[in-house]
Amino acid sequence: MEKEPGNHTNFAGFILLGLSTSPEFQGLLFPLFLSMYLVSLLGNLLIILVIFSNDALFHTPMYFFLSHLSLADIGFSSNAVPKMLQILVSKTNTISYDGCLTQLYFFVVFCTTDNFLLASMAYDRYVAICCPLRYSTVMSHKRCLILAAGSWLLSNAQGLLYVSSISSFSFCASREIPHFFCDVHPLIKLSCSDTSSVEMMLMFEGSVTMLGPLTLILVSYIFIVFRVLKVPSASGKYKAFSTCSSHLTTVALFYGTLIGTYIRPSSTYSGTKLSVASIFYTVVTPMLNPFIYSLRNSEMQGAMRRLLRIWFRKERSVREMRS
């Protein structure tokens, strides 16, 4: 079933094979991933609500970036997981051509936004620890807004680049994608066009947008380590490192699977390995981030308790008025 570039009307779309074709495994995976997705959704929504309802947190750069990271994580998991759950619970595993490109676009946007936001958070920690006297000037709210807006704009530009590149391909023969969402590697492998030049361009661009922020993160933490080692007291060292522990944990989880999966040619792509790796950054990491940034963070815990007290007071007042 061939598709001419620029003409997609006769193309029936793709078939997503999902995670498992075994009914027994599907019955186990559906409640597992549904519960993980709901925890991720509720946890990240709570993070956003807490930060936006607390003016002090909203104007603190680290929490400001965290609210955008939570928003990107919601989009990241919501772009892929609902379709995966639909495949697990029903026999509807087809996706239209336009729907597939839309899913690819949002995957690239949210993934790249995570990259840039994690780099912005690392830069914030560098300025806070290495240049504390200039912190309020360097990390002003205006500059944080520019960094956040730039992250979203550049990510959307990259998403458009990927979609425009893939839309120029022709697809024939098999339409089966061994994955639970439309990803760039399986789409390139399914194409019967000459994809070598586009693939090299996308791999180079993807490597730059992934390794560039990671390099900034590593350089920032190298300076932070050297700075903290000069602190005379052990308690001072612990306090400085503890402010970075949540961010470092998220960086390790996010980049640990992402780099090994995407910084390579599509010829080495394995459907099973990519699906398993994708679970970590579309399901596991977005679910864990709210816990990572709240369990050991007294400011977030205090803001959550205040928000819950306000909510309970309102609920009590409403019940009293009704009675």
Side-chain angles (χ1 to χ4, degrees), residues 129 235-247 296-297:
I129 294 174
S235 60
K237 288 185 175 70
Y238 175 78
K239 184 178 179 181
F241 278 126
S242 65
T243 63
C244 306
S245 59
S246 299
H247 181 252
R296 296 183 60 190
N297 191 308

Side-chain angles (χ1 to χ4, degrees), residues 16 79-80 83 95 99-107 181-182:
L16 296 170
N79 181 52
K83 186 64 178 179
I95 186 170
C100 188
L101 290 186
T102 300
Q103 195 177 53
L104 173 64
Y105 168 77
F106 283 111
F107 169 74
F181 70 94
C182 289

Side-chain angles (χ1 to χ4, degrees), residues 284-305:
V284 177
T285 302
M287 180 190 69
L288 292 179
N289 278 349
F291 296 100
I292 292 170
Y293 282 100
S294 60
L295 288 180
R296 296 183 60 190
N297 191 308
S298 58
E299 290 180 302
M300 285 295 298
Q301 291 175 6
M304 286 181 181
R305 284 193 292 268

Side-chain angles (χ1 to χ4, degrees), residues 172-287:
C172 45
S174 175
R175 298 187 293 123
E176 293 183 346
I177 297 177
H179 206 351
F180 58 87
F181 70 94
C182 289
D183 203 352
V184 62
H185 278 312
L187 287 174
I188 289 176
K189 289 198 73 174
L190 282 181
S191 175
C192 50
S193 303
D194 180 11
T195 63
S196 56
S197 58
V198 173
E199 185 178 357
M200 287 186 63
M201 183 267 292
L202 291 180
M203 193 168 74
F204 173 77
E205 193 273 342
S207 299
V208 170
T209 55
M210 189 180 298
L211 298 180
L214 180 59
T215 301
L216 177 61
I217 292 170
L218 294 176
V219 171
S220 297
Y221 277 104
I222 288 172
F223 281 106
I224 288 172
V225 168
F226 279 113
R227 177 70 176 183
V228 172
L229 289 177
K230 295 179 181 179
V231 176
S233 65
S235 60
K237 288 185 175 70
Y238 175 78
K239 184 178 179 181
F241 278 126
S242 65
T243 63
C244 306
S245 59
S246 299
H247 181 252
L248 279 172
T249 304
T250 302
V251 168
L253 286 171
F254 182 75
Y255 285 102
T257 52
L258 208 61
I259 292 178
T261 304
Y262 290 99
I263 308 300
R264 59 174 181 168
S266 63
S267 58
T268 63
Y269 154 78
S270 168
T272 304
K273 290 181 180 179
L274 181 59
S275 295
V276 173
S278 300
I279 291 172
F280 280 91
Y281 51 78
T282 58
V283 183
V284 177
T285 302
M287 180 190 69

Side-chain angles (χ1 to χ4, degrees), residues 38 56 64 87 115 117 136 164 169 194 222 242 279 313 319:
L38 291 176
F64 175 78
I87 295 171
N115 279 327
L117 289 173
S136 59
S164 62
F169 294 164
D194 180 11
I222 288 172
S242 65
I279 291 172
R313 287 197 200 103
R319 286 197 300 267

Side-chain angles (χ1 to χ4, degrees), residues 85-147:
L85 294 174
Q86 181 187 12
I87 295 171
L88 289 172
V89 79
S90 69
K91 296 181 180 179
T92 307
N93 61 347
T94 58
I95 186 170
S96 67
Y97 177 81
D98 291 334
C100 188
L101 290 186
T102 300
Q103 195 177 53
L104 173 64
Y105 168 77
F106 283 111
F107 169 74
V108 174
V109 168
F110 293 125
C111 181
T112 309
T113 301
D114 269 8
N115 279 327
F116 291 140
L117 289 173
L118 289 172
S120 299
M121 294 168 81
Y123 179 69
D124 169 72
R125 292 299 84 202
Y126 160 75
V127 178
I129 294 174
C130 299
C131 312
L133 298 179
R134 299 174 52 207
Y135 181 73
S136 59
T137 303
V138 175
M139 297 304 297
S140 63
H141 192 64
K142 180 180 179 181
R143 182 160 296 178
C144 292
L145 286 170
I146 293 172
L147 288 172

